[in-house]
Amino acid sequence: MNLPGPVTVRRLPTDFSDWAGLLALILRAFDYMNGRIDPPSSALALTPETLRDKAQAETAFLAHIGDRMVGCAFLAEKADHFYLGKLAVDPDRQRRGIGRALMQAAEAHVRAAGKPEIELQTRIELTGNHRAFERLGYLETARTAHLGYDRPTTITMRKALR
């Protein structure tokens, strides 16, 4: 199904109320990870209420094509950078520039806030994500393990925004 019009990316509006719809979008986008990453994604623990709380504590962006929500990203401000999390694009809309548009909006926000870097994490098993972020200028800075694991489970990547 082709949707009319270009993708638009905007900050989450203050009157946003479709938390169940946003959660469903994130879960659809992260579904391919189920059974592939260990431990399971933290997205599985989200509820509409915790997602609303996350959006209140962070800066969220939504991508739309027409009136259909097709992607999101969240930015958490840290002392010397912003952390990008829950980047999600509806699976039937992937590979159409939506993720790139969300990344560009996030990076523009970080620059406007005067922070020099943006950071994200991707799971060790998701090698396609590593390559995609590398193409966008992100460099691996660390490998870490989730609590209780004796092997790396996550790759941290950063991009300088000068």
Side-chain angles (χ1 to χ4, degrees):
M1 167 174 106
N2 285 329
L3 295 173
V7 62
T8 58
V9 176
R10 293 190 181 92
R11 283 183 68 165
L12 184 84
T14 56
D15 63 347
F16 183 80
S17 61
D18 188 10
W19 301 108
L22 181 55
L23 177 58
L25 167 71
I26 292 169
L27 293 177
R28 281 193 308 276
F30 282 51
D31 185 61
Y32 79 101
M33 297 178 200
N34 294 336
R36 192 168 167 205
I37 63 171
D38 182 36
S41 173
S42 63
L44 297 175
L46 288 171
T47 66
E49 294 76 25
T50 60
L51 191 55
R52 182 193 66 230
D53 294 345
K54 180 177 182 61
Q56 289 173 350
E58 300 177 13
T59 301
F61 293 90
L62 291 181
H64 284 85
I65 296 177
D67 62 356
R68 180 175 171 188
M69 186 170 32
V70 295
C72 68
F74 287 78
L75 280 173
E77 187 169 7
K78 306 295 182 181
D80 66 341
H81 69 281
F82 274 86
Y83 176 80
L84 177 80
K86 297 301 179 264
L87 173 66
V89 175
D90 206 345
D92 66 352
R93 299 287 105 197
Q94 291 177 357
R95 301 194 182 284
R96 297 176 188 198
I98 296 166
R100 183 177 298 270
L102 285 160
M103 295 296 286
Q104 290 170 344
E107 290 174 10
H109 178 82
V110 172
R111 282 187 188 95
K115 300 283 184 175
E117 292 184 311
I118 187 170
E119 179 180 274
L120 56 83
Q121 292 183 317
T122 182
R123 292 304 189 87
I124 205 93
E125 300 93 342
L126 303 179
T127 57
N129 287 358
H130 310 169
R131 289 189 300 274
F133 291 127
E134 286 169 354
R135 284 192 300 273
L136 293 174
Y138 288 77
L139 302 173
E140 180 178 334
T141 59
R143 291 183 179 220
T144 56
H146 283 79
L147 186 63
Y149 286 76
D150 62 357
R151 62 169 175 78
T153 55
T154 302
I155 294 176
T156 302
M157 304 180 87
R158 279 192 174 212
K159 180 177 180 178
L161 300 174
R162 295 191 174 31

